[in-house]
């Protein structure tokens, strides 16, 4: 994600993040491809706050977001994966912690803190 993309963050996404501003960030997860041993998507992140989850992904060059609990024991949002290849039924995907956000885990992060980790 480059700075041009960041400038085009839709108002709805900013609103959803702002709605979480009084909540503590518990964890950040990303889809992991078990076979290739790398991130399955460059843009999808699951921000896990104390009271709710926020899933973000890139669709047609536009950042999207959805608020609500995500069951991390299964991997269902494969239709939102923006990888160069289409997700196949035989892909081995799981949620893995993204260590690049470790400095803000346990805090009430500002929108800029969350977005900065996506660059």
């Amino acid at each position: 994600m480059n700075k041009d993309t960041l400038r085009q963050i839709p108002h709805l996404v900013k609103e959803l993040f702002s709605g979480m501003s009084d909540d503590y960030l518990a964890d950040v997860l990303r889809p992991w491809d078990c076979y290739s041993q790398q991130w399955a998507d460059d843009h999808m992140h699951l921000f896990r706050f104390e009271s709710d989850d926020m899933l973000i992904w890139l669709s047609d060059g536009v950042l999207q977001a959805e608020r609500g609990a995500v069951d991390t024991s299964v991997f269902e949002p494969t239709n939102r994966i923006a990888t160069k290849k289409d997700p196949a039924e035989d892909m081995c995907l799981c949620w893995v912690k993204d260590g690049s956000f470790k400095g803000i885990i346990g805090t009430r992060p500002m929108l800029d803190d969350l977005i900065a980790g996506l660059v």
Side-chain angles (χ1 to χ4, degrees), residues 3 8 11-12 25 30 38 52 64 69-70 78 86 88-89 98 102 116:
K3 290 182 182 181
Q8 298 172 7
H11 182 71
L12 175 63
L25 184 63
R30 288 179 63 191
Q38 61 187 9
D52 212 350
Q64 306 290 322
V70 175
T78 53
D86 290 329
E89 287 184 26
D98 183 348
K102 67 182 175 186

Side-chain angles (χ1 to χ4, degrees), residues 67-83:
R67 187 173 168 180
V70 175
D71 181 359
T72 55
S73 66
V74 294
F75 197 95
E76 293 180 8
T78 53
N79 60 329
R80 297 182 185 130
I81 295 282
T83 55

